[in-house]
Amino acid sequence: MSSTPVIGVLALQGDVREHLIALAAADAVARPVRRPEELAEVDGLVIPGGESTTISKLAELFGLMEPLRERIAAGLPVYGTCAGLIMLADKILDPRSGQETFGGIDMIVRRNAFGRQNESFEAGVTVAGIDTPVEGVFIRAPWVESVGGTVEVLAEHEGHIVAVRQGNVLATSFHPELTGDHRIHELFVDMVRAER
Ligand SMILES: NC(=O)CC[C@H](N)C(=O)O
């Protein structure tokens, strides 16, 4: 059996702690990542929810934008939730000026697509590869407007794409780290194990 994978959580902004807890529950060694040297040491990375415009600015400031783009291109398994999904999109439909993404998934996303903060909601979501619905917590959530041919759509909510995978990159519009249901984190940890 291979050793336990080390998975980082990008800790610039957002719900870092909840992801660290969920990853530990899914049998990974989880640690925060803020610096390029820390990024170099992980087998996989989670990009949490928060505010994608802020994560984009801080990633530039901390010198993580290019190193992370390079590692994603080189096959690093990455999982993004909500703002993290936005950061993994090759294109944002409605970016703030200067807003950049890491990219990695051939998709176009729409920010705040499901409504503003007061329109946040929970819904059962059927995710390909997981036998019963997961509880989706949507907080000013984006949806995926369109995907390229090699992107797998894993889940939809009311006709909108809310979970996708392209190769080593996984993304959900919703926040499984807030529910105590660790099945999506387990799926990601399995992706990381498969790569090692
Ligand atoms: N819960 C979230 O991560 C919200 C995402 C936020 N609307 C953004 O554009 O980054």
Side-chain angles (χ1 to χ4, degrees):
M1 214 182 92
S2 65
S3 58
T4 311
V6 177
I7 301 186
V9 178
L10 188 68
L12 302 176
Q13 192 249 356
D15 59 343
V16 175
R17 189 170 161 268
E18 290 79 359
H19 276 293
L20 291 171
I21 292 168
L23 287 167
D27 279 337
V29 172
R31 46 164 92 139
V33 166
R34 277 186 205 90
R35 299 184 298 125
E37 306 80 66
E38 291 164 339
L39 176 64
E41 286 171 2
V42 296
D43 303 312
L45 185 75
V46 168
I47 305 178
E51 180 51 53
S52 56
T53 52
T54 307
I55 296 173
S56 162
K57 271 190 219 132
L58 292 175
E60 290 282 3
L61 204 67
F62 281 72
L64 280 168
M65 192 59 97
E66 279 315 311
L68 185 45
R69 282 181 177 152
E70 280 164 24
R71 278 214 73 188
I72 294 172
L76 179 73
V78 182
Y79 169 36
T81 57
C82 201
L85 170 139
I86 297 170
M87 292 303 300
L88 290 171
D90 285 349
K91 188 164 191 281
I92 305 176
L93 197 69
D94 48 353
R96 286 252 195 99
S97 84
Q99 180 173 8
E100 299 268 349
T101 69
F102 303 123
I105 300 183
D106 178 11
M107 64 177 172
I108 301 175
V109 299
R110 184 186 290 272
R111 298 177 54 230
N112 303 315
F114 283 108
R116 313 286 327 166
Q117 191 81 46
N118 59 0
E119 293 163 69
S120 299
F121 60 94
E122 292 177 28
V125 179
T126 300
V127 179
I130 296 182
D131 53 359
T132 56
V134 301
E135 187 188 347
V137 178
F138 293 83
I139 304 169
R140 285 185 305 131
W143 68 49
V144 179
E145 197 73 29
S146 63
V147 293
T150 60
V151 178
E152 263 177 278
V153 173
L154 302 181
E156 295 190 12
H157 177 68
E158 292 179 345
H160 301 291
I161 300 169
V162 295
V164 290
R165 176 174 177 180
Q166 184 174 25
N168 281 332
V169 191
L170 175 72
T172 61
S173 293
F174 50 89
H175 292 267
E177 74 283 6
L178 300 180
T179 62
D181 177 347
H182 302 126
R183 289 178 295 169
I184 295 196
H185 287 82
E186 281 162 11
L187 192 129
F188 180 61
V189 173
D190 285 345
M191 283 170 58
V192 177
R193 279 185 204 282
E195 269 311 299
R196 297 170 78 228

